[in-house]
Amino acid sequence: MSESEGVRRTPLNRERVLAAAVAFADREAGGTDALSMRKLAQELGVVPMALYKHVANKEELLAGMVDTVVGGIDPPAAGADWKGAVRERVLSARRALRRHPWAPRVIEALPAPTPAVLGHLDAVIGLLRAGGLSADLAHHAMHALGGRLLGFTQELFDASPEAAPDPGVAARLAARYPHIAEVAATAAHAERAAEDGTAVGGGCDDQFEFEFALDVLLDGIERLHLAGWTSTGARRAVQ
Amino acid sequence: MSESEGVRRTPLNRERVLAAAVAFADREAGGTDALSMRKLAQELGVVPMALYKHVANKEELLAGMVDTVVGGIDPPAAGADWKGAVRERVLSARRALRRHPWAPRVIEALPAPTPAVLGHLDAVIGLLRAGGLSADLAHHAMHALGGRLLGFTQELFDASPEAAPDPGVAARLAARYPHIAEVAATAAHAERAAEDGTAVGGGCDDQFEFEFALDVLLDGIERLHLAGWTSTGARRAVQ
DNA sequence: CACCGTAGGCGTACGCCGTACACTCGTCAA
DNA sequence: TTGACGAGTGTACGGCGTACGCCTACGGTG
């Protein structure tokens, strides 16, 4: 009764909807699989269609949820050594995502990276570049890290330029994410230079990136093996 | 008319259902998102419920599809150097999965790894062990490679022992996947030995695995950076 | 040959989902 | 006073996974 009149219930808005959706996915076992527009509406004491005044559709709801949690990543601390800075930033990302186990899957399932995700990637590339790495090496490093460490896929650099053939939009994106733009540009050049008939149009060489990450890992593991590395020793060394 | 009598249409069976499902997901843009029991049934000229005589439900259908494609990975070639053997095996896995872009996402979404996936993992661990790596290092190496390279998540080693408290079942699994079992056992011991109050029950230390992979990558990238590595040089070296 | 158990395929029905579309109704500017 | 507007409502549609029961052709058995 008090709900049907009087204070009239604080009105919905985008943030309230997103926050409730995140809370729901965090609480429920199935994560975002258990989230439906209908259940979310019920949670907010509202009819399902009311949500559509604040999000265009379920996909935009999911994107908004992702941006909400990715926005919680600490800003990068630009320190002396790039390695430490990147390490800290990636661990911060991991901390943010671990509180929302559904997030990585949703990020990968979305058709395009959200602004907050792009911002995170741009920031990490910025740290690499500030550390003196070439745009080329930074590019491949991002691919190598991409797997589970950042929660984004290699389609990023492929899709972005293709989906925005409008030069105006492209320029705006380049201004907002300068490091991504720089890396994409050098990748395109390297691609053109290395072209030999197997020619992929535009994007970067997927196979090359895959083998790059694979070899960095295998070489590193071999080095540990030859040095007689043990995890108990490593754990002790940390303390 | 010829369908309603005469040859009576070759009857369905599990393989035909799985093959049709894989073909459908390969052909359709949305992959397995576009796949529904109803559409698959229509494809096979059959009513939806007919499929349930051959697969228990949609989840089992997806698991069957995964096993179909993962089964296509070449057997490991046990060569002199473990690194080359692992490299080849992982690239073979990648080749198999690239023909079915929906597969990695489905593998990660399934609640438990399928037998073929377990077999693949067991084979790779076997190569590492045959190369002389300790079970401990092999364990961490698998986690590091896990990201995008193998298409499985770190929950594997956590979930397997917990979901099978029945010692008989556990023994049967250990017999079928000996390398996985060995690695899981040493991980449990190391965990117990390193326990200091933050105690995770049973599984392996997620955070440690994450930082292990992160540091192997960062160290490797740093080494390339200091050596003046360029991708055009690397590409040229390959040819 | 008659019989019948069985297994593969069919039809119907239920409860969920996302969301299009047209509506009400309170608020506020003119 | 009025009229536009925007938040929330109600109804409805098509699609989904799948429970349940039925039909019917087949193979083995008496």
Side-chain angles (χ1 to χ4, degrees):
Chain A
M1 8 176 81
S2 67
E3 290 188 8
S4 66
E5 49 180 322
V7 236
R8 300 202 45 71
R9 176 180 69 234
T10 60
L12 248 41
N13 58 43
R14 198 162 201 277
E15 288 105 67
R16 285 226 308 141
V17 169
L18 294 181
V22 168
F24 184 98
D26 286 348
R27 167 165 29 91
E28 223 68 19
T32 47
D33 288 353
L35 179 69
S36 76
M37 299 299 276
R38 296 169 124 101
K39 289 196 215 139
L40 178 57
Q42 191 177 3
E43 185 112 337
L44 288 161
V46 112
V47 91
M49 288 310 293
L51 301 176
Y52 287 86
K53 298 288 191 214
H54 306 281
V55 295
N57 48 46
K58 188 174 186 185
E59 193 168 272
E60 197 194 280
L61 173 73
L62 291 172
M65 293 168 68
V66 165
D67 264 14
T68 298
V69 320
V70 172
I73 299 177
D74 300 336
D81 68 317
W82 63 267
K83 230 170 75 174
V86 169
R87 190 174 199 280
E88 193 185 331
R89 175 91 176 159
V90 171
L91 289 177
S92 168
R94 173 173 161 81
R95 255 177 273 123
L97 292 199
R98 269 183 70 90
R99 289 193 286 272
H100 313 282
W102 45 268
R105 203 188 306 288
V106 174
I107 290 175
E108 289 184 22
L110 284 177
T114 67
V117 170
L118 282 175
H120 174 61
L121 300 179
D122 195 66
V124 174
I125 298 177
L127 292 175
L128 295 174
R129 298 288 287 125
L133 272 69
S134 71
D136 178 41
L137 182 53
H139 170 206
H140 302 297
M142 289 301 286
H143 273 284
L145 289 167
R148 198 137 286 294
L149 302 181
L150 292 171
F152 77 105
T153 72
Q154 72 283 4
E155 296 126 37
L156 173 66
F157 299 115
D158 296 356
S160 264
E162 288 183 33
D166 175 358
V169 173
R172 199 136 2 112
L173 282 176
R176 191 186 302 282
Y177 309 111
H179 303 297
I180 294 178
E182 178 195 38
V183 153
T186 70
H189 294 154
E191 191 74 15
R192 248 189 295 283
E195 216 145 87
D196 57 316
T198 66
V200 196
C204 41
D205 185 343
D206 219 33
Q207 183 70 21
F208 182 85
E209 305 305 341
F210 186 88
E211 298 194 20
F212 176 86
L214 177 55
D215 289 334
V216 168
L217 282 170
L218 288 177
D219 288 344
I221 290 161
E222 180 184 44
R223 217 169 345 250
L224 293 177
H225 172 47
L226 296 178
W229 180 93
T230 70
S231 68
T232 56
R235 283 176 218 255
R236 214 181 335 267
V238 167
Q239 296 171 6
Chain B
M1 4 177 86
S2 66
E3 291 186 7
S4 67
E5 50 180 321
V7 236
R8 298 201 45 71
R9 177 179 69 234
T10 60
L12 247 42
N13 57 43
R14 198 160 201 278
E15 288 106 67
R16 285 226 308 141
V17 170
L18 294 181
V22 168
F24 185 97
D26 287 347
R27 168 166 27 92
E28 224 69 19
T32 46
D33 288 354
L35 180 69
S36 76
M37 299 299 275
R38 296 169 125 101
K39 291 196 214 136
L40 177 57
Q42 191 177 4
E43 184 112 337
L44 288 162
V46 114
V47 91
M49 289 311 292
L51 301 176
Y52 287 86
K53 298 288 189 200
H54 305 281
V55 295
N57 48 45
K58 188 174 186 184
E59 193 169 272
E60 197 194 282
L61 173 74
L62 291 172
M65 294 169 67
V66 165
D67 265 14
T68 298
V69 319
V70 172
I73 299 177
D74 300 336
D81 68 316
W82 63 268
K83 229 170 76 174
V86 169
R87 190 174 200 278
E88 193 186 330
R89 175 93 176 157
V90 170
L91 289 176
S92 168
R94 173 172 161 82
R95 253 177 275 123
L97 292 198
R98 268 184 72 90
R99 288 193 287 271
H100 313 282
W102 45 268
R105 203 189 305 289
V106 173
I107 290 175
E108 289 184 23
L110 285 177
T114 67
V117 170
L118 282 174
H120 174 61
L121 300 178
D122 196 65
V124 174
I125 298 177
L127 292 176
L128 295 174
R129 296 289 286 125
L133 272 70
S134 70
D136 178 41
L137 181 54
H139 170 206
H140 302 298
M142 290 299 287
H143 273 285
L145 289 168
R148 199 136 284 294
L149 303 181
L150 292 172
F152 78 105
T153 72
Q154 71 283 4
E155 296 127 36
L156 172 67
F157 299 115
D158 296 356
S160 263
E162 289 183 32
D166 175 359
V169 173
R172 199 130 6 107
L173 283 176
R176 192 186 301 281
Y177 310 111
H179 303 296
I180 294 179
E182 178 196 38
V183 153
T186 70
H189 294 153
E191 191 74 17
R192 248 190 296 284
E195 215 144 87
D196 59 314
T198 65
V200 196
C204 39
D205 185 343
D206 219 33
Q207 184 70 21
F208 181 85
E209 305 305 342
F210 186 88
E211 298 194 21
F212 176 86
L214 176 56
D215 288 335
V216 168
L217 282 171
L218 288 177
D219 288 344
I221 290 161
E222 181 184 44
R223 216 171 344 251
L224 294 177
H225 172 48
L226 295 178
W229 181 92
T230 71
S231 69
T232 57
R235 283 176 218 255
R236 215 182 333 271
V238 167
Q239 297 169 6

